[in-house]
Amino acid sequence: MALRHAVLAALLDGEYSGYQLTKIFDVGVSNFWYAAPQQLYAELAKLEADGLVAGREVVQRGRPNKRVFKVTEAGLEELAAFAATPAKPLLLRDDLAVKVHAADLVDPAPLITQLRERAQEAAAKLALFEQTLRRLRGDLGEEEFLREGERIGPYLSCLAGCRLEREMRDWCQETARTLEERAGR
């Protein structure tokens, strides 16, 4: 997957400025793709040049004008072609996991601290994802929303983010506990 596909997917729900897109990536897309704001702005320019998004200027009173973008028909075709290609397996590169792998030969104290910090970060992200799920679902229960909701794609990808963050939080807490117990012996 390229950043372009993540941007196109994020723009499916409406017309957004680059700033709004960075906020969408912070919460709604961060469970499957990270991009720095400057990367997003550069990608929007490429997508517009390729005709996959259309931008227009919005005049604002008392503030600088802004550009907003929406997916074009060509952008939808690009997403459809992307969706039809086989998905690549998940590749995980996590320096904390490498450190845990070496836990038997290093001082566990800094590692335990890092595990606790990562558990807190995962818990915070989990709370944001759960809040997003509630917002997407509205007044519907989850089963009803999944059966009858208008757009379930963002909801389903956010569910994956919840599960990943929950597992990361739990793994970090359990691993820190194990290392503490072993260090105490």
Side-chain angles (χ1 to χ4, degrees):
M1 173 171 70
L3 176 56
R4 72 183 338 176
H5 299 117
V7 171
L8 288 170
L11 288 172
L12 286 175
D13 287 320
E15 191 175 48
Y16 300 111
S17 69
Y19 175 77
Q20 290 169 312
L21 191 62
T22 63
K23 296 302 173 199
I24 291 168
F25 264 71
D26 281 348
V27 178
V29 179
S30 64
N31 60 326
F32 59 85
W33 194 275
Y34 171 79
Q38 61 269 28
Q39 291 174 296
L40 292 173
Y41 284 102
E43 193 61 41
L44 282 170
K46 289 178 200 173
L47 289 167
E48 187 173 26
D50 293 344
L52 301 178
V53 300
R56 68 178 180 87
E57 190 168 348
V58 174
V59 178
Q60 302 186 108
R61 290 185 186 175
R63 292 197 263 169
N65 295 343
K66 66 179 179 179
R67 286 185 55 73
V68 293
F69 301 88
K70 67 178 181 177
V71 178
T72 63
E73 192 61 40
L76 292 174
E77 291 170 9
E78 171 76 16
L79 268 177
F82 170 70
T85 61
K88 295 178 183 174
L90 175 67
L91 299 174
L92 180 63
R93 295 181 184 152
D94 187 351
D95 61 342
L96 186 56
V98 174
K99 293 174 183 184
V100 168
H101 190 83
D104 298 310
L105 302 173
V106 301
D107 177 8
L111 186 52
I112 291 166
T113 299
Q114 292 173 52
L115 285 160
R116 296 276 183 222
E117 289 169 354
R118 178 72 67 83
Q120 289 175 344
E121 292 166 6
K125 284 178 73 176
L126 176 59
L128 280 175
F129 290 149
E130 288 173 339
Q131 179 183 3
T132 300
L133 289 175
R134 286 189 299 274
R135 181 182 51 78
L136 291 171
R137 207 172 46 236
D139 295 333
L140 300 177
E142 184 167 90
E143 287 183 27
E144 183 180 5
F145 178 79
L146 291 173
R147 252 191 339 270
E148 301 170 14
E150 191 171 315
R151 275 204 69 234
I152 62 166
Y155 192 88
L156 292 170
S157 65
C158 194
L159 273 178
C162 281
R163 290 178 181 164
L164 289 171
E165 294 303 332
R166 187 175 295 112
E167 286 298 319
M168 179 56 73
R169 179 200 62 199
D170 294 350
W171 175 78
C172 287
Q173 290 171 342
E174 292 165 11
T175 302
R177 241 185 337 269
T178 299
L179 292 176
E180 285 172 334
E181 290 169 3
R182 290 177 62 92
R185 281 196 258 150

